[in-house]
Tab-separated table of all heavy atoms in Angstrom:
chain	number	residue	atom	x	y	z
A	247	ASN	N	0.835	-1.213	-0.005
A	247	ASN	CA	0.049	-0.042	0.009
A	247	ASN	C	0.827	1.235	0.016
A	247	ASN	O	0.546	2.227	-0.688
A	247	ASN	CB	-0.971	-0.003	1.173
A	247	ASN	CG	-2.260	-0.620	0.889
A	247	ASN	OD1	-2.707	-0.559	-0.233
A	247	ASN	ND2	-2.895	-1.200	1.888
A	248	THR	N	1.888	1.235	0.760
A	248	THR	CA	2.803	2.359	0.858
A	248	THR	C	3.394	2.696	-0.506
A	248	THR	O	3.469	3.863	-0.973
A	248	THR	CB	3.901	2.159	1.891
A	248	THR	OG1	3.291	1.942	3.138
A	248	THR	CG2	4.920	3.375	2.019
A	249	ARG	N	3.957	1.716	-1.168
A	249	ARG	CA	4.526	1.890	-2.554
A	249	ARG	C	3.456	2.318	-3.501
A	249	ARG	O	3.754	3.168	-4.389
A	249	ARG	CB	5.259	0.679	-2.971
A	249	ARG	CG	6.510	0.417	-2.180
A	249	ARG	CD	7.396	-0.564	-2.859
A	249	ARG	NE	8.608	-0.739	-2.085
A	249	ARG	CZ	9.616	-1.390	-2.485
A	249	ARG	NH1	9.596	-2.034	-3.649
A	249	ARG	NH2	10.665	-1.612	-1.688
A	250	LEU	N	2.311	1.748	-3.532
A	250	LEU	CA	1.261	2.103	-4.350
A	250	LEU	C	0.805	3.536	-4.163
A	250	LEU	O	0.731	4.316	-5.109
A	250	LEU	CB	0.040	1.211	-4.190
A	250	LEU	CG	-1.210	1.567	-4.985
A	250	LEU	CD1	-0.935	1.559	-6.571
A	250	LEU	CD2	-2.365	0.582	-4.725
A	251	PHE	N	0.634	3.917	-2.929
A	251	PHE	CA	0.285	5.307	-2.567
A	251	PHE	C	1.337	6.289	-3.091
A	251	PHE	O	1.001	7.288	-3.673
A	251	PHE	CB	0.116	5.450	-1.039
A	251	PHE	CG	-0.406	6.778	-0.645
A	251	PHE	CD1	-1.712	7.117	-0.872
A	251	PHE	CD2	0.486	7.711	-0.036
A	251	PHE	CE1	-2.155	8.363	-0.437
A	251	PHE	CE2	0.018	8.942	0.351
A	251	PHE	CZ	-1.250	9.297	0.092
A	252	TRP	N	2.622	5.957	-2.784
A	252	TRP	CA	3.720	6.853	-3.319
A	252	TRP	C	3.658	6.954	-4.820
A	252	TRP	O	3.787	8.100	-5.365
A	252	TRP	CB	5.056	6.204	-2.877
A	252	TRP	CG	6.220	7.094	-3.257
A	252	TRP	CD1	6.774	8.135	-2.617
A	252	TRP	CD2	6.959	7.016	-4.505
A	252	TRP	NE1	7.795	8.686	-3.324
A	252	TRP	CE2	7.969	8.021	-4.512
A	252	TRP	CE3	6.858	6.142	-5.570
A	252	TRP	CZ2	8.836	8.170	-5.576
A	252	TRP	CZ3	7.738	6.302	-6.648
A	252	TRP	CH2	8.724	7.333	-6.635
A	253	ALA	N	3.536	5.860	-5.531
A	253	ALA	CA	3.548	5.957	-6.999
A	253	ALA	C	2.297	6.678	-7.496
A	253	ALA	O	2.398	7.538	-8.444
A	253	ALA	CB	3.476	4.489	-7.570
A	254	ALA	N	1.163	6.486	-6.858
A	254	ALA	CA	-0.046	7.207	-7.328
A	254	ALA	C	0.075	8.705	-7.044
A	254	ALA	O	-0.283	9.556	-7.837
A	254	ALA	CB	-1.268	6.602	-6.588
A	255	CYS	N	0.637	9.043	-5.878
A	255	CYS	CA	0.873	10.491	-5.622
A	255	CYS	C	1.769	11.105	-6.692
A	255	CYS	O	1.464	12.216	-7.133
A	255	CYS	CB	1.468	10.634	-4.192
A	255	CYS	SG	0.303	10.470	-2.897
A	256	ARG	N	2.837	10.450	-6.994
A	256	ARG	CA	3.749	11.026	-7.973
A	256	ARG	C	3.039	11.159	-9.369
A	256	ARG	O	3.172	12.144	-10.069
A	256	ARG	CB	5.001	10.173	-8.166
A	256	ARG	CG	5.871	9.905	-6.991
A	256	ARG	CD	6.489	11.081	-6.352
A	256	ARG	NE	5.689	11.920	-5.506
A	256	ARG	CZ	5.306	11.640	-4.312
A	256	ARG	NH1	5.705	10.535	-3.677
A	256	ARG	NH2	4.524	12.503	-3.582
A	257	ALA	N	2.261	10.114	-9.712
A	257	ALA	CA	1.504	10.236	-10.974
A	257	ALA	C	0.533	11.358	-10.975
A	257	ALA	O	0.525	12.102	-11.948
A	257	ALA	CB	0.778	8.910	-11.240
A	258	TYR	N	-0.199	11.562	-9.882
A	258	TYR	CA	-1.147	12.679	-9.841
A	258	TYR	C	-0.452	14.022	-9.837
A	258	TYR	O	-0.895	14.994	-10.439
A	258	TYR	CB	-2.154	12.483	-8.682
A	258	TYR	CG	-3.266	11.544	-9.044
A	258	TYR	CD1	-3.185	10.218	-8.722
A	258	TYR	CD2	-4.315	11.983	-9.906
A	258	TYR	CE1	-4.244	9.336	-9.096
A	258	TYR	CE2	-5.346	11.133	-10.166
A	258	TYR	CZ	-5.250	9.795	-9.851
A	258	TYR	OH	-6.257	8.906	-10.229
A	259	GLU	N	0.714	14.066	-9.102
A	259	GLU	CA	1.446	15.325	-9.075
A	259	GLU	C	1.945	15.711	-10.463
A	259	GLU	O	2.030	16.913	-10.816
A	259	GLU	CB	2.579	15.259	-8.115
A	259	GLU	CG	2.144	15.276	-6.697
A	259	GLU	CD	3.300	14.933	-5.755
A	259	GLU	OE1	4.400	14.531	-6.192
A	259	GLU	OE2	3.052	15.035	-4.457
A	260	ASP	N	2.267	14.659	-11.208
A	260	ASP	CA	2.811	14.946	-12.595
A	260	ASP	C	1.659	15.094	-13.618
A	260	ASP	O	2.003	15.182	-14.822
A	260	ASP	CB	3.733	13.818	-13.025
A	260	ASP	CG	4.989	13.756	-12.251
A	260	ASP	OD1	5.414	14.781	-11.707
A	260	ASP	OD2	5.708	12.731	-12.244
A	261	GLY	N	0.437	14.987	-13.198
A	261	GLY	CA	-0.699	15.228	-14.074
A	261	GLY	C	-1.093	13.970	-14.938
A	261	GLY	O	-1.834	14.082	-15.903
A	262	ILE	N	-0.505	12.805	-14.563
A	262	ILE	CA	-0.800	11.621	-15.380
A	262	ILE	C	-1.487	10.543	-14.497
A	262	ILE	O	-1.575	9.376	-14.918
A	262	ILE	CB	0.434	11.013	-16.044
A	262	ILE	CG1	1.513	10.704	-14.957
A	262	ILE	CG2	0.980	11.949	-17.146
A	262	ILE	CD1	2.707	10.006	-15.535
A	263	GLY	N	-2.034	10.942	-13.409
A	263	GLY	CA	-2.716	9.968	-12.527
A	263	GLY	C	-3.908	9.234	-13.177
A	263	GLY	O	-3.958	8.022	-13.170
A	264	PRO	N	-4.806	9.906	-13.848
A	264	PRO	CA	-5.909	9.186	-14.529
A	264	PRO	C	-5.427	8.173	-15.536
A	264	PRO	O	-5.990	7.056	-15.577
A	264	PRO	CB	-6.717	10.303	-15.176
A	264	PRO	CG	-6.420	11.521	-14.311
A	264	PRO	CD	-5.006	11.375	-13.904
A	265	GLU	N	-4.385	8.498	-16.224
A	265	GLU	CA	-3.881	7.584	-17.266
A	265	GLU	C	-3.194	6.396	-16.675
A	265	GLU	O	-3.097	5.250	-17.206
A	265	GLU	CB	-2.851	8.253	-18.263
A	265	GLU	CG	-3.498	9.297	-19.145
A	265	GLU	CD	-3.658	10.651	-18.457
A	265	GLU	OE1	-3.106	10.887	-17.291
A	265	GLU	OE2	-4.225	11.571	-19.042
A	266	LEU	N	-2.582	6.534	-15.417
A	266	LEU	CA	-1.889	5.472	-14.818
A	266	LEU	C	-2.662	4.669	-13.784
A	266	LEU	O	-2.213	3.681	-13.266
A	266	LEU	CB	-0.601	6.012	-14.212
A	266	LEU	CG	0.537	6.382	-15.091
A	266	LEU	CD1	1.762	6.787	-14.311
A	266	LEU	CD2	0.884	5.234	-16.013
A	267	ALA	N	-3.910	5.152	-13.531
A	267	ALA	CA	-4.693	4.479	-12.467
A	267	ALA	C	-4.845	2.990	-12.776
A	267	ALA	O	-4.625	2.128	-11.899
A	267	ALA	CB	-5.988	5.146	-12.306
A	268	ASN	N	-5.319	2.621	-13.966
A	268	ASN	CA	-5.544	1.199	-14.247
A	268	ASN	C	-4.229	0.401	-14.263
A	268	ASN	O	-4.199	-0.691	-13.638
A	268	ASN	CB	-6.347	1.037	-15.565
A	268	ASN	CG	-7.785	1.359	-15.370
A	268	ASN	OD1	-8.354	1.288	-14.297
A	268	ASN	ND2	-8.410	1.848	-16.418
A	269	PRO	N	-3.156	0.916	-14.882
A	269	PRO	CA	-1.917	0.154	-14.812
A	269	PRO	C	-1.413	-0.008	-13.314
A	269	PRO	O	-0.822	-1.012	-12.969
A	269	PRO	CB	-0.922	0.950	-15.635
A	269	PRO	CG	-1.769	1.684	-16.638
A	269	PRO	CD	-3.028	1.963	-15.853
A	270	LEU	N	-1.638	1.030	-12.492
A	270	LEU	CA	-1.241	0.874	-11.063
A	270	LEU	C	-2.108	-0.175	-10.407
A	270	LEU	O	-1.557	-0.908	-9.562
A	270	LEU	CB	-1.347	2.249	-10.383
A	270	LEU	CG	-0.303	3.280	-10.715
A	270	LEU	CD1	-0.629	4.616	-10.066
A	270	LEU	CD2	1.086	2.798	-10.213
A	271	VAL	N	-3.346	-0.224	-10.704
A	271	VAL	CA	-4.200	-1.252	-10.089
A	271	VAL	C	-3.709	-2.653	-10.494
A	271	VAL	O	-3.597	-3.527	-9.703
A	271	VAL	CB	-5.691	-1.063	-10.548
A	271	VAL	CG1	-6.507	-2.314	-10.125
A	271	VAL	CG2	-6.304	0.192	-9.842
A	272	ASP	N	-3.364	-2.726	-11.820
A	272	ASP	CA	-2.876	-4.051	-12.304
A	272	ASP	C	-1.530	-4.497	-11.571
A	272	ASP	O	-1.430	-5.599	-11.201
A	272	ASP	CB	-2.600	-4.016	-13.818
A	272	ASP	CG	-3.903	-3.923	-14.595
A	272	ASP	OD1	-4.945	-4.163	-14.049
A	272	ASP	OD2	-3.737	-3.473	-15.811
A	273	ALA	N	-0.668	-3.509	-11.377
A	273	ALA	CA	0.561	-3.779	-10.687
A	273	ALA	C	0.287	-4.158	-9.220
A	273	ALA	O	0.903	-5.100	-8.668
A	273	ALA	CB	1.508	-2.597	-10.775
A	274	ALA	N	-0.652	-3.465	-8.592
A	274	ALA	CA	-0.975	-3.742	-7.213
A	274	ALA	C	-1.603	-5.099	-7.042
A	274	ALA	O	-1.269	-5.852	-6.136
A	274	ALA	CB	-1.897	-2.629	-6.684
A	275	ARG	N	-2.495	-5.449	-8.009
A	275	ARG	CA	-3.059	-6.780	-7.999
A	275	ARG	C	-2.024	-7.892	-8.088
A	275	ARG	O	-2.105	-8.916	-7.522
A	275	ARG	CB	-4.160	-6.919	-8.994
A	275	ARG	CG	-5.356	-6.044	-8.633
A	275	ARG	CD	-6.547	-6.207	-9.504
A	275	ARG	NE	-7.091	-7.530	-9.294
A	275	ARG	CZ	-7.697	-8.223	-10.162
A	275	ARG	NH1	-7.808	-7.822	-11.387
A	275	ARG	NH2	-8.181	-9.434	-9.902
């Protein structure tokens, strides 16, 4: 969870969160 949260925060800060949400879910799963 910590790594996912960190990666998601960086993605959203960089403006690409929506595009990376599904790939991040896949990686988390």
Side-chain angles (χ1 to χ4, degrees):
N247 269 330
T248 301
R249 288 195 182 188
L250 174 59
F251 184 76
W252 181 88
C255 283
R256 299 300 78 78
Y258 278 98
E259 288 171 352
D260 290 342
I262 56 173
E265 292 85 6
L266 286 185
N268 287 332
L270 285 173
V271 169
D272 292 342
R275 292 187 69 211

